[in-house]
Amino acid sequence: MRPPSSIVVLTGAGISAESGIDTFRDTDGIWSKVDFREVATPEGFAADPHKVHAFYNQRRAGLKGIKPNAAHFALARLEREFGGAFLLVTQNIDHLHEQAGSERLIHMHGELANSLCGNCGDRRLWDGDLSTDLPCRACGSRGRLRPDVVWFGEMPYQMERIYAALAGCDLFVAVGTSGTVYPAAGFIEEARAAGARTLELNLEPTEGTSRFSDAIHGKATEIVPAWVEKVLAG
Ligand code: BV8
């Protein structure tokens, strides 16, 4: 089979699981402990901003000391050594891909390390807790700071750039995602429409496995480095 010339990789919470970050929908996952409507929607934030800040402050604090794993490093190696077009799109809001060296990277659901001002749109690195009584460092307004995270019902970031990459790719790879949340879950159809081959790399088959032309199941720290080695070997 001809080697790929343009790869788009989509990652989800499963790629960070072996680094110690909870996934969402596995047993004991994040959504089994809290109702996403209360903490990951604009309505939830309007109803109880303290609860939402506490939810994200706890997750931000939970990132301290967390390190990228072999799967993150393998994707950064693929970006460096693969001669063709490459784009990594992550649904994750942790910074493990950057810490592993990935550069051509889009955080379509935002970044936990950033604050966003609901008044002026200012976004910046914010490593402490966020709360309702903090003033925005750009416009000074109080009570408008939120995590720079895309909630349900909000438009994910850089969708034009993502769809353009999908339209031009000949290989789409989904790593560690249950394929439950749209529009990310629809990327495979965009890639297939572009004539791309599609590969699922996941711990176990997902509901969407049959939509992929190929699938490899196992732990990300094992199957992702092995797959990257194979792609780079040509
Ligand atoms: C929007 C916030 C509209 C950040 C998240 C059709 C089209 C468009 C929208 C919709 C649609 N149908 C429904 C919708 C609405 C909704 C949606 O998709 N709902 C679902 C529940 C049906 N989508 C939206 O609201 C999106 N916005 O559509 O806006 C719009 C239009 C115009 C103008 C304005 C607006 C916004 C979606 C983003 C929501 N934000 N998170 C945060 O708090 O983190 S989503 C949340 O789910 C996370 O971002 C997460 O990344 C994402 C997906 O979850 P996964 O990453 O896949 O994680 P999961 O736990 O599910 O799976 C883990 C996988 O890893 C498993 O497969 C497991 O087997 C595997 N695994 C585990 N361990 C390992 C492993 N694999 C390998 N190795 C291991 N060791």
Side-chain angles (χ1 to χ4, degrees):
M1 192 184 298
R2 202 169 31 84
S5 62
S6 168
I7 302 177
V8 174
V9 178
L10 171 70
T11 61
I15 198 168
S16 297
E18 290 164 88
S19 290
I21 300 181
D22 287 346
T23 62
F24 291 88
R25 295 170 186 85
D26 288 322
T27 337
D28 285 342
I30 294 174
W31 296 148
S32 72
K33 297 181 182 120
V34 65
D35 180 342
F36 76 88
R37 286 162 301 193
E38 292 181 6
V39 294
T41 61
E43 297 76 15
F45 186 61
D48 189 344
H50 304 281
K51 174 184 275 196
V52 175
H53 278 310
F55 173 65
Y56 286 98
N57 290 342
Q58 187 201 359
R59 286 175 66 191
R60 194 177 301 106
L63 292 183
K64 297 245 181 313
I66 295 281
K67 295 267 174 279
N69 62 51
H72 296 103
F73 286 110
L75 292 181
R77 178 188 170 209
L78 179 63
E79 175 184 330
R80 276 195 310 277
E81 298 179 19
F82 169 63
F86 181 86
L87 179 65
L88 172 55
V89 182
T90 187
Q91 300 170 90
N92 300 338
I93 60 175
D94 62 54
H95 267 176
L96 298 181
H97 283 303
E98 293 85 337
Q99 288 168 11
S102 288
E103 291 176 359
R104 272 174 273 165
L105 167 66
I106 292 178
H107 278 277
M108 66 177 290
H109 289 166
E111 298 170 66
L112 188 50
N114 286 352
S115 63
L116 172 63
C117 174
N119 179 54
C120 72
D122 177 68
R123 57 170 57 81
R124 63 180 66 210
L125 270 176
W126 194 284
D127 59 5
D129 281 356
L130 277 170
S131 72
T132 49
D133 51 18
L134 286 166
C136 168
R137 292 185 188 155
C139 71
S141 65
R142 279 181 186 279
R144 302 299 308 277
L145 289 182
R146 55 174 277 186
D148 181 19
V149 160
V150 177
W151 287 327
F152 288 94
E154 295 185 322
M155 180 56 91
Y157 293 150
Q158 301 199 48
M159 292 304 294
E160 306 265 306
R161 193 172 149 214
I162 296 169
Y163 283 127
L166 290 166
C169 78
D170 54 11
L171 178 58
F172 171 75
V173 187
V175 183
T177 180
S178 61
T180 319
V181 173
Y182 289 83
F187 290 172
I188 178 178
E189 305 311 338
E190 301 292 327
R192 287 176 57 166
R197 278 182 290 127
T198 55
L199 170 65
E200 177 181 76
L201 300 179
N202 198 69
L203 184 65
E204 59 209 1
T206 63
E207 272 173 36
T209 298
S210 58
R211 294 155 62 188
F212 288 84
S213 36
D214 301 293
I216 303 169
H217 295 129
K219 286 185 174 177
T221 53
E222 292 164 11
I223 63 175
V224 177
W227 170 70
V228 166
E229 190 60 50
K230 202 159 142 260
V231 171
L232 294 177

